[in-house]
């Protein structure tokens, strides 16, 4: 596994992956904080495209990612991650919406758990999932990071401006 860091408006993000693609994005704090394992190799070269697309996203020039991804999880978790990728930029969905979308309307809590285990936040937009009442729920990078990402997308979607954390 190779890794590097990307300096973003929400802090330094750990990027990790292998020849199959990007496997992890770790936040600088919160439950999504990730440290490289002792056998991982620091190497920025494999992440040039990831960094370029993240820079475009944070500057408002990219609304979807086109990267080789290699997430791991159960079949159910991977199904939820696939559904998350269909949430349009600047929009949100509830956990119930995602459960309905994957054909498991009674699996709202399981969808929430799978969303919370997303190994590739931002790129797989779990930040776009909110409570049924519109409330912001947990996020691996913390609620402040989630608020920033949603505001960035909403503001850019509305008027093309950017926002700062």
């Amino acid at each position: 596994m190779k890794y590097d860091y990307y300096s973003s408006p929400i802090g330094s993000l750990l990027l990790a992956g292998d020849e199959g693609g990007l496997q992890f994005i770790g936040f600088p704090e919160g439950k999504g904080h990730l440290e490289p394992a002792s056998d991982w190799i620091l190497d920025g070269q494999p992440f040039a495209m990831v960094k370029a697309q993240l820079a475009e996203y944070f500057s408002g020039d990219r609304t979807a990612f086109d990267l080789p991804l290699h997430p791991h999880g159960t079949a159910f978790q991977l199904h939820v991650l696939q559904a998350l990728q269909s949430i349009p930029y600047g929009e949100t969905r509830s956990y119930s919406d995602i459960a309905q979308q994957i054909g498991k309307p009674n699996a709202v809590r399981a969808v929430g758990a799978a969303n919370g285990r997303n190994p590739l936040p931002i790129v797989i937009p779990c930040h776009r999932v909110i409570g049924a009442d519109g409330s912001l729920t947990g996020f691996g990078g913390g609620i402040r990071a989630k608020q920033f990402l949603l505001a960035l997308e909403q503001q850019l979607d509305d008027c093309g401006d950017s926002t700062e954390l």
Side-chain angles (χ1 to χ4, degrees), residues 35-122:
E35 292 287 335
S38 61
D39 61 341
W40 291 8
I41 300 164
L42 180 61
D43 182 357
Q45 189 279 330
F47 302 101
M49 186 174 13
V50 177
K51 291 178 180 182
Q53 289 192 23
L54 284 168
E56 292 168 355
Y57 170 80
F58 283 113
S59 71
D61 295 326
R62 176 171 291 278
T63 60
F65 292 90
D66 183 20
L67 297 166
L69 304 178
H70 195 205
H72 294 278
T74 66
F76 180 82
Q77 290 167 341
L78 294 174
H79 196 162
V80 169
L81 295 180
Q82 184 178 27
L84 297 178
Q85 292 179 77
S86 72
I87 303 171
Y89 181 91
E91 295 184 21
T92 58
R93 299 289 185 270
S94 71
Y95 295 98
S96 178
D97 292 336
I98 300 300
Q100 293 283 344
Q101 181 180 339
I102 65 170
K104 305 270 186 194
N106 296 322
V108 175
R109 287 182 190 258
V111 165
N115 192 69
R117 289 186 184 94
N118 178 8
L120 293 165
I122 304 171

